[in-house]
Amino acid sequence: EWGDLAEGVPVFPDFDPTVHVRDCAWSRNRPLHVGLDFGYHTPAAVWCQVTAKDQLAVIRSWCPQHIREADFAQGILQRNADWFPKGQFLYYGGHDGKQKDKAGRTSLQVFAGYGIYVRLRYSHIDAGLSTIRALLKVRSDEEPGLLLDPANEGGVEGFSGGYRYPPVKDETLPKPDPQKTGIFDPWFDALRYISVCLFAPNGEQAGSPEPKSAFRR
């Protein structure tokens, strides 16, 4: 069977399922933040909300394989309607949103054709990972800054050790980026794009990046 070899060091050793995994109900009174990792082979979409306690709640996710961008966009809209009827959505992506397909269109342009307007944020991968690590910490109110609904099975598995750094043979070299296996990295890339836009590196909320008029259904 195809699978992932557990080599290297987990990216998030502080993750504790008994602390971070719990049912996360969504609220119609708060926007849904959707992180998108574009890609034909293994794209990913992650739906989050910021709770009344300023926690990042990861509610649902979708990681299809070998899908056209148009179908990916339509699938997101369908899940918006099924999972979050009448919700308000903000979308976030990375630099791959400007890559062009064979017709010369970027991912941003394809998604805009379906009414999905994606905000790009350029940041080094370690900046986003550091922000997520800060969110995982238990705060003074004895609550973690990040919650993960059990519906996100891939995310739970990735946080629990599936998402790892490659083995390091020479400690004098710069720290490598996490392994790119196509199994967990698209999911965490999508989550990173949300995290760096909504939270400061110390895990404190940075405020809403867009006014209400920018909400897209």
Side-chain angles (χ1 to χ4, degrees):
E1 293 183 8
W2 289 101
D4 188 37
L5 296 177
E7 297 180 344
V9 179
V11 176
F12 301 109
D14 293 334
F15 178 77
D16 184 347
T18 64
V19 173
H20 298 101
V21 179
R22 65 182 75 170
D23 292 334
C24 299
W26 76 284
S27 170
R28 285 192 175 89
N29 298 323
R30 294 175 176 271
L32 285 141
H33 302 281
V34 188
L36 302 175
D37 185 52
F38 301 105
Y40 170 76
H41 294 291
T42 53
V46 175
W47 285 260
C48 301
Q49 277 190 318
V50 178
T51 72
K53 295 183 178 180
D54 293 334
Q55 297 163 290
L56 183 63
V58 186
I59 302 174
R60 298 295 291 264
S61 54
W62 179 43
C63 300
Q65 294 186 354
H66 303 292
I67 185 173
R68 296 186 311 120
E69 284 192 330
D71 294 330
F72 186 36
Q74 292 179 58
I76 289 167
L77 293 177
Q78 184 61 56
R79 283 159 179 78
N80 285 349
D82 292 344
W83 293 342
F84 313 105
K86 298 183 179 180
Q88 296 175 315
F89 304 91
L90 290 171
Y91 301 91
Y92 309 82
H95 62 86
D96 56 350
K98 289 192 173 182
Q99 293 180 354
K100 295 182 178 181
D101 60 17
K102 293 181 179 179
R105 300 175 304 170
T106 66
S107 298
L108 293 181
Q109 292 170 332
V110 173
F111 273 66
Y114 291 92
I116 299 175
Y117 301 92
V118 185
R119 181 189 183 197
L120 299 188
R121 175 67 181 269
Y122 298 91
S123 64
H124 190 274
I125 183 173
D126 199 51
L129 299 180
S130 296
T131 300
I132 295 173
R133 290 191 190 97
L135 289 169
L136 287 172
K137 293 180 180 179
V138 177
R139 310 176 309 191
S140 58
D141 62 357
E142 299 185 353
E143 285 285 334
L146 184 144
L147 303 174
L148 186 61
D149 191 281
N152 301 281
E153 295 180 1
V156 173
E157 186 177 353
F159 268 118
S160 298
Y163 189 46
R164 309 174 77 89
Y165 288 107
V168 177
K169 297 180 180 180
D170 187 347
E171 297 290 345
T172 64
L173 296 175
K175 185 178 181 181
D177 290 338
Q179 297 176 11
K180 280 203 166 288
T181 63
I183 300 175
F184 300 110
D185 49 290
W187 194 96
F188 283 95
D189 285 345
L191 181 61
R192 276 196 302 112
Y193 302 145
I194 298 174
S195 301
V196 297
C197 284
L198 299 184
F199 292 89
N202 62 0
E204 294 182 359
Q205 190 175 5
S208 176
E210 301 287 352
K212 278 192 174 183
S213 60
F215 290 163
R216 302 288 181 173
R217 287 190 52 188

